[in-house]
Amino acid sequence: MDRKITMLGTGHALVTKCYNTCFTITNGGNIFLVDAGGGNGILSQAEKAGIDFADIHQMFLTHAHTDHIIGVVWVVRKVVTMIEENKYHGSLDIYCHNEAASALTTICGALLAKKQLAHIGKDIFIRTVADGDTLSTGGMTLTFFDIKSTKLKQYGFRAVWDNGLALVCPGDEPLCEENYRYAQGADWLMHEAFCLASQADVFRPYEKHHSAALDAGKAATRLGVKNLILYHTEDANLANRKRLYTAEAKEAFGGNIFVPNDLEVINI
């Protein structure tokens, strides 16, 4: 089975040397998009990755921060254009919690033309999910959960495949203790790592409700996961990010550690 994650972007909100964090999960012929970054860079990132929007029919928006939601508007515009050119068949379902759905509806209403907006509710659907809701698609079952963010309402998800493989993505904040049950013993944990712990005084991750690579390693050990993916980082030293973040996380975690660059593919 061709099961993989393609990291379209790996950076935090204000990066300029890489794209904002977003990715696809591919399972066979099914492509599931998670977030879309902060602009039309989502279009070029998908093109570089060889991903055709005609093959994307479902996506998940974790929350309404600009570096996650604005790119969704471009996804909608791209799909609308393809529909009108008879290059996209079927519908696009965008799953998100109620506050993100309201924000996305408002933003699309302000930025898209009436002709484009006419497709929302016709062949493009913004579908609200609640804490604990599940979705079965492409051989995997997703369980959405409220990460209990104190900044802005945000959802993460646990994905389980038919063979029992489990992947957990808690969005761009660390898991709170209440949600450990979703990640305990998971095969894969995707965890934000805003910076190195050794540079916390420079990037101040904790003030932003984020964590460092070392913290992510400690969390992975505490949760007993097998594989750790670090993302949503600063971009001051991209050339050495993979080596430095891996080394720091390894101080606390003995499993496999992945620090992907933009467009990198991780086989799961």
Side-chain angles (χ1 to χ4, degrees), residues 25-47:
I25 300 175
T26 301
N27 191 55
N30 185 74
I31 300 177
F32 188 82
L33 174 63
V34 180
D35 290 334
N40 72 345
I42 184 64
L43 306 183
S44 62
Q45 292 300 94
E47 183 177 285

Side-chain angles (χ1 to χ4, degrees), residues 40-106:
N40 72 345
I42 184 64
L43 306 183
S44 62
Q45 292 300 94
E47 183 177 285
K48 291 172 187 174
I51 294 172
D52 189 339
F53 280 95
D55 297 324
I56 299 176
H57 294 278
Q58 293 175 316
M59 73 167 294
F60 175 56
L61 172 62
T62 59
H63 62 300
H65 279 158
T66 53
D67 56 319
H68 298 261
I69 194 172
I70 299 300
V72 182
V73 180
W74 287 98
V75 172
V76 171
R77 182 169 178 177
K78 174 68 172 180
V79 169
V80 165
T81 300
M82 294 179 74
I83 289 171
E84 293 177 345
E85 294 176 348
N86 199 34
K87 295 178 180 177
Y88 187 99
H89 304 286
S91 62
L92 171 65
D93 294 309
I94 303 169
Y95 296 92
C96 53
H97 60 68
N98 60 333
E99 292 181 14
S102 177
L104 181 59
T105 300
T106 299

Side-chain angles (χ1 to χ4, degrees), residues 10 30-31 48 68 76-77 98 105 121 148 160 185-186 188 194 203 218 221 233-234 236 240 242 256 259:
T10 56
N30 185 74
I31 300 177
K48 291 172 187 174
H68 298 261
V76 171
R77 182 169 178 177
N98 60 333
T105 300
K148 313 298 181 184
V160 180
W188 293 84
F194 197 82
F203 295 105
K218 291 178 179 178
T221 295
T233 79
E234 48 76 27
N240 296 300
K242 187 184 292 286
N256 300 313
V259 185

Side-chain angles (χ1 to χ4, degrees), residues 45-215:
Q45 292 300 94
E47 183 177 285
K48 291 172 187 174
I51 294 172
D52 189 339
F53 280 95
D55 297 324
I56 299 176
H57 294 278
Q58 293 175 316
M59 73 167 294
F60 175 56
L61 172 62
T62 59
H63 62 300
H65 279 158
T66 53
D67 56 319
H68 298 261
I69 194 172
I70 299 300
V72 182
V73 180
W74 287 98
V75 172
V76 171
R77 182 169 178 177
K78 174 68 172 180
V79 169
V80 165
T81 300
M82 294 179 74
I83 289 171
E84 293 177 345
E85 294 176 348
N86 199 34
K87 295 178 180 177
Y88 187 99
H89 304 286
S91 62
L92 171 65
D93 294 309
I94 303 169
Y95 296 92
C96 53
H97 60 68
N98 60 333
E99 292 181 14
S102 177
L104 181 59
T105 300
T106 299
I107 294 170
C108 285
L111 299 180
L112 296 178
K114 288 183 179 180
K115 182 180 179 182
Q116 296 163 337
L117 286 173
H119 287 272
I120 297 179
K122 178 184 176 185
D123 32 40
I124 297 175
F125 300 92
I126 300 173
R127 301 195 183 279
T128 302
V129 294
D131 186 27
D133 280 356
T134 61
L135 168 69
S136 293
T137 176
M140 66 178 176
T141 298
L142 298 164
T143 301
F144 303 106
F145 60 88
D146 189 335
I147 73 165
K148 313 298 181 184
S149 174
T150 57
K151 292 193 300 183
L152 185 72
K153 187 174 181 178
Q154 181 173 175
Y155 275 17
F157 65 86
R158 175 185 173 92
V160 180
W161 280 266
D162 296 340
N163 64 355
L165 186 80
L167 176 146
V168 177
C169 171
D172 71 358
E173 294 187 29
L175 272 171
C176 67
E177 197 165 331
E178 183 179 341
N179 286 328
Y180 281 1
R181 58 195 172 99
Y182 289 108
Q184 199 74 50
D187 297 281
W188 293 84
L189 173 64
M190 304 185 73
H191 199 294
E192 57 83 28
F194 197 82
C195 64
L196 297 168
S198 61
Q199 296 182 310
D201 58 333
V202 176
F203 295 105
R204 301 180 179 180
Y206 309 118
E207 295 177 14
K208 304 175 180 71
H209 301 262
H210 294 308
S211 58
L214 182 63
D215 302 314

Side-chain angles (χ1 to χ4, degrees), residues 233-256:
T233 79
E234 48 76 27
D235 65 342
N237 190 6
L238 281 184
N240 296 300
R241 179 179 64 176
K242 187 184 292 286
R243 175 177 59 83
L244 295 174
Y245 279 58
T246 299
E248 186 173 279
K250 191 172 289 187
E251 293 177 22
F253 178 58
N256 300 313

Side-chain angles (χ1 to χ4, degrees), residues 3 72 87 101 132 156 222 263:
R3 185 183 298 115
V72 182
K87 295 178 180 177
R222 184 165 56 246
L263 305 178

